[in-house]
Amino acid sequence: VQLQASGGGLVQPGGSLRLSCVGSGGSLDYYAIGWFRQVPGKEHEGISCISYTGYGAPGSTYYTDSVKGRFTISKDNAKNTVYLQMDSLKPEDTAVYSCAADVGCATDWSLYRHRGQGTQVTVSS
């Protein structure tokens, strides 16, 4: 499966953005999808994940502490897309955001077999 993240941009502190991770070449139903972010000079940080939702499985969601209560991950199976709704954005959320897919959720970017290109999010006044 190939993944493409989009939806980034420039937003003021306190604002919102919705990122999309679109899958092609395979159904995202059968994958856990993780969202990561990276700032220059640092490793990818795992921020959220939604587990397998194939065969009607409800899917579990996970968030790193710094985004809990502000970010929401969801999946639209009909559009083969996973979203990351980001509210109450802070300057420290500025990063390149990317999505990745594998059989289960993990916080280590290198463990995902399918990794997409990122989209830049800049939070600044």
Side-chain angles (χ1 to χ4, degrees):
V1 66
Q2 292 79 46
L3 304 170
Q4 180 63 56
S6 63
L10 173 64
V11 63
Q12 292 187 341
S16 298
L17 281 174
R18 188 178 77 161
L19 304 184
S20 300
C21 174
V22 180
S24 59
S27 173
L28 296 186
D29 278 2
Y30 304 109
Y31 293 92
I33 306 298
W35 278 101
F36 290 79
R37 64 187 180 188
Q38 186 180 32
V39 297
K42 292 194 174 182
E43 298 291 328
H44 284 87
E45 175 192 14
I47 57 171
S48 184
C49 187
I50 184 165
S51 64
Y52 169 91
T53 55
Y55 300 106
S60 299
T61 57
Y62 306 92
Y63 302 93
T64 194
D65 286 347
S66 63
V67 308
K68 279 181 184 175
R70 300 189 298 122
F71 291 10
T72 304
I73 192 170
S74 62
K75 184 185 281 187
D76 185 333
N77 291 328
K79 295 183 178 180
N80 214 31
T81 299
V82 173
Y83 300 102
L84 186 69
Q85 177 67 41
M86 306 188 297
D87 299 317
S88 303
L89 282 162
K90 305 175 182 180
E92 52 264 42
D93 294 318
T94 295
V96 174
Y97 286 70
S98 304
C99 54
D102 212 307
V103 296
C105 287
T107 57
D108 187 337
W109 173 256
S110 68
L111 295 179
Y112 284 81
R113 288 177 293 168
H114 309 283
R115 294 173 278 178
Q117 297 295 317
T119 184
Q120 176 70 46
V121 171
T122 302
V123 185
S124 174
S125 55

